[in-house]
Amino acid sequence: MKTKVNNLIPVFLTILICSCTGQKKQGNSASGGGPCDSLATAETKALYFNLKELAKTKVLFGHQDDLAYGVHWWAEPGRSDVKETSGSYPAVYGWEIGNIEGERNLDSVSFAEMKEWIREGYERGGVITISWHEHNPVTGGSAWDTIGRAVSTIIPGGSNNELWKQKLDMVADFMLSLKGDNGELIPVVFRPYHELTGSWFWWGKDLCTSEEFIRLWQFTVDYLTSVRNVHNLLYAFSTDVFDSEEYYLDRYPGDDFVDVLGFDDYRTVSNPESRDQTINELHIISELGKKLDKIPAWTETGLASIPVPEWWTATILDRIKADSLTCQIAWVLVWRNARLDHHYAPFSGHPSAADFKKFRDDECILFEDELPDLYK
Ligand code: BMA
């Protein structure tokens, strides 16, 4: 009798844990090679399959906040520093929803205008990806405020879990408000809790355990898909610089919770001597993409203010085209054109503009005007 009861305890505990944590998910299943949200909308599924396929031969170029402002302008309809120097809008538009509780994001971009720009870019065939530099939920400080071991407080069972659900509700409302001209939900590659291998954000490596990070990620995906029925998202996991598969996967939340394997790297592209390190990252991410059947992507990079006129072909293109594996990433995105001392794409008259045009003309690189229909 004792033995029998003992045998039942693990089963009972598993059921109890799963029902309390919501780990028994309806919506998430990576089976069949589709997105981890098995209820993803038709357009979201199409985007997933098209990006995975395109990654084998082409690399999409992306730019953060491209339509919102440039180095010398703010919120002017139709403008884009990338278009004004290359002739096309970027293929991927990065947006940011930190300060989701406000009217403007942490970089002062109005959420109402952002929704319009997202619709505009999507209607032209571009890809939308959204990052989330959310405030520290313990202190109310910025994403860079690492006080308070915040992750442990917002996961289920933590004192701020309800608060975090409210934030996720705001994220859900925002995502569900993104509609194309025909009323369909606009697919978004959502990239929360990025650069998790560094310790500069409150969700970073030294500020939570692996278990806590993974729990936060899984909770986020479960809450958005199963509780809020958000089905227009692909989920991008992105580390900072890395040098091995083991290091990259240390806090990987699992195949059922991730669609895009991303990494941010500003460091190795700033120095010609780090060429091999960038190439190593591209090899690992492309191989992992195949192994785990996910979309590999270079989710953030850039050289601040691009002081090297040939940086586009001599560094980025050179590394992406180093061999047949390095070019097998779905996209590469450079950061925002905030001001003269903080911009990552050229503007009219920029010393790197001519080289940027060469980069844009390479057969491997796709800008928006060269994109196939990604949503069918
Ligand atoms: C950082 C900088 C900050 C900005 C943040 C979120 O890399 O550009 O100025 O607030 O990204 O966009």
Side-chain angles (χ1 to χ4, degrees):
M1 187 63 183
K2 202 170 176 222
T3 328
K4 270 191 184 162
V5 170
N6 277 349
N7 281 346
L8 283 175
I9 286 174
V11 177
F12 173 71
L13 277 179
T14 310
I15 293 168
L16 189 71
I17 289 167
C18 285
S19 61
C20 292
T21 58
Q23 267 180 24
K24 177 75 197 76
K25 308 169 308 296
Q26 322 161 301
N28 310 341
S29 154
S31 62
C36 65
D37 177 5
S38 62
L39 301 179
T41 65
E43 291 79 10
T44 310
K45 281 188 177 144
L47 178 66
Y48 175 85
F49 286 114
N50 284 322
L51 284 176
K52 202 159 57 170
E53 191 54 32
L54 258 187
K56 294 175 189 164
T57 51
K58 303 287 179 192
V59 179
L60 276 56
F61 176 74
H63 185 216
Q64 186 75 3
D65 284 351
D66 188 75
L67 304 177
Y69 52 84
V71 171
H72 298 299
W73 55 276
W74 180 268
E76 291 182 32
R79 290 199 70 175
S80 150
D81 281 350
V82 164
K83 182 161 190 270
E84 287 165 27
T85 45
S86 74
S88 169
Y89 289 108
V92 177
Y93 296 93
W95 295 102
E96 164 61 42
I97 56 168
N99 196 43
I100 187 73
E101 47 285 301
E103 278 178 20
R104 291 176 181 270
N105 79 359
L106 77 163
D107 300 319
S108 308
V109 177
S110 133
F111 283 114
E113 287 181 318
M114 193 191 293
K115 284 181 196 181
E116 274 309 297
W117 288 317
I118 287 175
R119 193 189 52 76
E120 234 182 84
Y122 163 75
E123 284 298 335
R124 281 196 296 258
V127 176
I128 310 299
T129 178
I130 295 186
S131 51
W132 192 23
H133 289 74
E134 191 48 56
H135 304 298
N136 180 319
V138 170
T139 64
S142 75
W144 293 265
D145 178 355
T146 53
I147 291 169
R149 294 200 68 87
V151 173
S152 69
T153 75
I154 59 175
I155 54 182
S159 55
N160 288 319
N161 184 238
E162 286 307 313
L163 172 87
W164 204 247
K165 284 184 191 166
Q166 288 166 18
K167 298 264 189 179
L168 292 175
D169 282 336
M170 293 176 208
V171 172
D173 292 344
F174 183 83
M175 300 300 187
L176 293 172
S177 75
L178 303 174
K179 302 263 179 72
D181 289 350
N182 297 322
E184 77 282 21
L185 285 163
I186 298 177
V188 170
V189 178
F190 185 37
R191 194 169 67 92
Y193 319 127
H194 66 301
E195 299 174 9
L196 61 131
T197 48
S199 294
W200 42 87
F201 296 128
W202 56 258
W203 56 84
K205 187 158 152 273
D206 295 341
L207 293 316
C208 58
T209 65
S210 291
E211 292 70 30
E212 286 166 346
F213 180 83
I214 291 171
R215 191 69 202 96
L216 172 62
W217 187 284
Q218 295 185 350
F219 172 73
T220 300
V221 176
D222 275 345
Y223 191 82
L224 293 173
T225 53
S226 305
V227 178
R228 290 303 314 270
N229 290 311
V230 181
H231 298 300
N232 54 327
L233 303 185
L234 298 176
Y235 292 89
F237 170 78
S238 68
T239 66
D240 197 66
V241 177
F242 63 100
D243 61 5
S244 70
E245 187 181 302
E246 296 67 43
Y247 184 82
Y248 182 84
L249 291 177
D250 183 43
R251 294 183 171 205
Y252 179 62
D255 292 345
D256 288 352
F257 298 88
V258 171
D259 297 304
V260 174
L261 301 175
F263 71 102
D264 293 4
D265 179 358
Y266 293 88
R267 210 186 309 158
T268 74
V269 294
S270 66
N271 181 354
E273 283 168 21
S274 315
R275 186 174 186 265
D276 290 351
Q277 279 170 260
T278 322
I279 291 172
N280 184 43
E281 288 175 323
L282 291 166
H283 283 168
I284 294 172
I285 212 78
S286 307
E287 267 163 357
L288 260 183
K290 289 188 218 307
K291 198 147 91 179
L292 304 182
D293 198 21
K294 303 288 175 193
I295 302 166
W298 194 345
T299 41
E300 272 187 50
T301 190
L303 181 66
S305 306
I306 329 150
V308 181
E310 258 89 56
W311 186 78
W312 299 99
T313 53
T315 300
I316 281 289
L317 194 60
D318 166 77
R319 292 178 194 193
I320 287 176
K321 294 188 75 173
D323 58 42
S324 59
L325 202 53
T326 50
C327 62
Q328 297 201 34
I329 51 169
W331 73 86
V332 59
L333 178 142
V334 298
W335 206 240
R336 63 199 200 102
N337 275 17
R339 16 170 231 277
L340 268 180
D341 65 348
H342 189 60
H343 63 274
Y344 295 86
F347 48 84
S348 268
H350 191 283
S352 80
D355 191 57
F356 185 58
K357 184 75 172 57
K358 282 191 201 154
F359 166 79
R360 179 264 207 280
D361 289 341
D362 191 275
E363 28 77 43
C364 172
I365 306 292
L366 295 189
F367 277 53
E368 189 178 78
D369 62 355
E370 302 160 289
L371 285 176
D373 188 344
L374 297 172
Y375 297 101
K376 282 211 177 99

